[in-house]
Amino acid sequence: MQQKKFSFDKILANLKIDALNEMQEASLVAHEKHNDIVLLSATGSGKTLAFLLPALESLDPAARKTQALIVVPSRELAQQIEQVFRSMGTGLKITSCYGGHKRETEENNLVEAPVVIVGTPGRLGDHIRRKNITVDAIETLILDEFDKSLDMGFTEEMEFIISSLPNINRRILTSATEAVEVPEFVGLEEHAILNFLHLKNEESAGLDIKTIQSADKDKVETLFELLCSIGNRSSIIFCNHRESVERTSRMLTEKGILNEFYHGAMEQRERDSALSKFRNGSVNFLVTTDIAARGLDIPNIRYIIHYHLPHTAEIFTHRNGRTARMDASGTAILILSQEEKVPEYITEEVEEIQLKENSPIPAKPDWVTLFIAAGKKDKVNKIDIVGFLSNKGQLKKEDIGLIDVKDFFSFVAIRRSKATNTLHLIKPEKIKGKKVRIEVAR
């Protein structure tokens, strides 16, 4: 076995991981024997590390050129991979490219070639056409959730990207779905298939599936009563259309239930705000389309509520993959109108829920999210924000929750009971010597 270029022990320590799981270990072994790998594993099983660690071994830290390209179907997945790579502490430069923010920002990041680039097909294709990305030294190609990219209509763009890379000698494809045909333009030759999807069935042992009957075709009243019944437990509510997401969210808000909505047509800052609030516990209910069924790393989700029935078994599986992860338990609830039945693809025994009567509206969470108009590009990091809120806002450590620092702005959770006084104290103050806008995140 050849000497590793990077200390995996140090990387795992940086990530606060004790050991690799079975799938990640198998991926490392397979990459010693094969250049091309197709990795099939459930969402949330650790695929990101399973392809980043082998990819590291093919990188030359001394060469200041882009050597690996990671193509993903969504901006959230690009951000997540970038964050994991940075947390690994390799010292290598990575940048992400995706729609929804200024291309000029990315162009500046690409002037000094990153060793690794991760991005969505449309934006990566755009940069390659503009010659912002030098492709000659790119030898490793990773297509994460490649089937999702194909489903979303990126086939033509992916074909262009791959045809623009003349020196690829390693390909890593990942998917959470079996039996997806790999297009010829990907260029797979003698590849190994690592199939760990069977582990999902074992992991899903902690998932209960239940139904609830709605007396009306419009299920909002039933959803409202359900949320009152389950209380302030972290829940994702899946709808099939963007318009339904916004309507459902608005009607819940009108009934007094604090929630956020999330779909692909939102501006980037709106999407970041919604996800940050849901992750940090400022909001416990997220109404969304199937865009949230894959690629989002949000732990401790207790309920998956299928407001609209998923069209396929595959979508049902991906939605439910948000909960009952690792050793946790979770519940998937299908809201059925009088005309609807439990889909045939659900073979498990399901229990029908009888709601408690007159359950109170869930109380507002203990946390609230502040928006700070400064981020990484302003040289602001998490330590700066903690120091600022502690010194100027007079908050104790336990009053500060999760902090999410983006390029040009940041989100931070603080105790709701302290929010009014803290805002009063910090509004006139400067962070890193600069006066910036700070407010409760909208």
Side-chain angles (χ1 to χ4, degrees):
M1 190 172 174
Q2 64 182 20
Q3 180 68 34
K4 294 192 184 307
K5 299 176 184 177
F6 298 89
S7 167
F8 285 181
D9 288 342
K10 187 175 179 183
I11 288 171
L12 294 184
N14 290 339
L15 294 170
K16 297 180 173 57
I17 294 174
D18 294 331
L20 297 178
N21 64 28
E22 180 187 352
M23 180 263 296
Q24 293 160 344
E25 291 279 11
S27 178
L28 283 173
V29 171
H31 280 89
E32 292 176 2
K33 302 172 184 175
H34 304 274
N35 287 330
D36 293 351
I37 299 286
V38 176
L39 175 59
L40 306 175
S41 188
T43 302
S45 58
K47 286 198 298 293
T48 301
L49 208 53
F51 64 71
L52 284 181
L53 289 177
L56 274 180
E57 288 303 291
S58 64
L59 303 179
D60 178 2
R64 298 298 175 187
K65 297 178 179 178
T66 301
Q67 300 166 53
L69 186 69
I70 307 172
V71 185
V72 298
S74 70
R75 62 189 78 171
E76 285 76 19
L77 193 49
Q79 292 171 329
Q80 183 180 314
I81 292 169
E82 180 184 20
Q83 184 58 49
V84 171
F85 189 88
R86 290 184 188 279
S87 299
M88 290 165 73
T90 64
L92 300 179
K93 182 181 177 183
I94 183 172
T95 196
S96 55
C97 304
Y98 48 83
H101 65 179
K102 291 182 179 178
R103 191 184 64 244
E104 291 79 3
T105 301
E106 296 175 354
E107 289 175 342
N108 291 335
N109 291 338
L110 293 167
V111 170
E112 182 185 328
V115 176
V116 179
I117 298 176
V118 55
T120 52
R123 187 54 70 91
L124 289 176
D126 187 34
H127 282 303
I128 290 173
R129 289 184 181 92
R130 293 171 183 271
K131 310 231 181 295
N132 294 330
I133 296 174
T134 303
V135 299
D136 296 349
I138 298 176
E139 296 185 348
T140 297
L141 171 68
I142 298 169
L143 305 180
D144 191 20
E145 302 274 19
F146 76 91
D147 57 304
K148 188 71 172 172
S149 291
L150 296 173
D151 288 345
M152 292 172 69
F154 291 133
T155 304
E156 196 172 304
E157 205 65 88
M158 290 170 70
E159 185 169 7
F160 166 74
I161 291 168
I162 294 171
S163 68
S164 303
L165 307 176
N167 297 314
I168 294 298
N169 59 31
R170 168 167 292 198
R171 296 166 183 82
I172 307 173
L173 280 65
T174 84
S175 174
T177 304
E178 207 165 356
V180 178
E181 188 175 341
V182 180
E184 283 189 23
F185 63 74
V186 175
L188 282 184
E189 294 178 2
E190 292 185 10
H191 63 281
I193 298 178
L194 302 180
N195 190 340
F196 282 84
L197 289 172
H198 63 281
L199 293 182
K200 182 61 186 172
N201 296 327
E202 297 165 19
E203 292 168 4
S204 296
L207 177 70
D208 288 330
I209 300 177
K210 300 185 179 184
T211 63
I212 182 170
Q213 288 290 334
S214 173
D216 303 315
K217 190 171 182 180
D218 186 335
K219 307 173 186 178
V220 170
E221 188 63 36
T222 304
L223 175 62
F224 169 73
E225 292 172 3
L226 173 62
L227 298 184
C228 291
S229 180
I230 64 179
N232 242 335
R233 308 291 294 277
S234 181
S235 307
I236 298 183
I237 300 147
F238 280 104
C239 300
N240 288 343
H241 311 286
R242 294 169 179 171
E243 297 78 11
S244 301
V245 163
E246 295 199 20
R247 174 181 177 274
T248 303
S249 173
R250 183 176 65 253
M251 295 186 77
L252 288 176
T253 299
E254 289 170 358
K255 288 175 173 292
I257 290 190
L258 189 64
N259 72 92
E260 285 289 324
F261 69 83
Y262 172 78
H263 59 65
M266 296 165 65
E267 293 294 322
Q268 184 62 40
R269 181 180 147 185
E270 294 174 324
R271 290 168 70 153
D272 288 337
S273 178
L275 289 182
S276 290
K277 289 185 201 175
F278 189 58
R279 281 196 184 101
N280 67 30
S282 296
V283 166
N284 287 321
F285 304 121
L286 182 71
V287 187
T288 182
T289 60
D290 286 323
I291 191 173
R294 288 209 240 175
L296 297 187
D297 185 18
I298 304 173
N300 305 321
I301 296 168
R302 186 63 184 81
Y303 291 99
I304 298 298
I305 300 172
H306 301 271
Y307 184 74
H308 289 150
L309 294 181
H311 293 306
T312 67
E314 182 184 329
I315 294 172
F316 182 66
T317 299
H318 289 313
R319 287 181 178 183
N320 294 339
R322 303 296 89 213
T323 191
R325 297 166 77 172
M326 307 305 285
D327 295 323
S329 60
T331 303
I333 302 174
L334 294 87
I335 302 180
L336 303 176
S337 67
Q338 296 299 315
E339 299 82 24
E340 291 175 325
K341 296 179 180 178
V342 175
E344 290 182 359
Y345 54 72
I346 299 177
T347 56
E348 301 94 323
E349 187 175 334
V350 295
E351 173 192 344
E352 184 174 340
I353 297 174
Q354 302 298 326
L355 293 178
K356 309 171 193 169
E357 291 187 9
N358 302 319
S359 296
I361 292 173
K364 289 183 178 180
D366 294 336
W367 300 93
V368 67
T369 298
L370 297 186
F371 168 83
I372 300 175
K376 296 173 188 172
K377 299 296 182 184
D378 306 292
K379 309 298 183 189
V380 169
N381 58 34
K382 292 182 181 181
I383 295 172
D384 299 322
I385 292 172
V386 170
F388 176 71
L389 292 174
S390 300
N391 297 328
K392 305 295 185 182
Q394 298 179 9
L395 291 180
K396 297 176 182 177
K397 187 178 179 181
E398 58 268 26
D399 296 326
I400 303 171
L402 290 180
I403 300 172
D404 197 1
V405 182
K406 304 297 184 182
D407 280 349
F408 297 102
F409 49 84
S410 305
F411 299 101
V412 54
I414 66 170
R415 293 277 179 197
R416 187 177 294 274
S417 59
K418 304 288 181 73
T420 302
N421 184 54
T422 298
L423 274 172
H424 174 72
L425 292 171
I426 63 179
K427 277 204 169 182
E429 301 292 344
K430 296 178 179 179
I431 183 167
K432 292 294 281 279
K434 184 180 177 184
K435 183 81 168 60
V436 300
R437 182 162 55 94
I438 303 175
E439 62 190 15
V440 173
R442 292 194 293 272

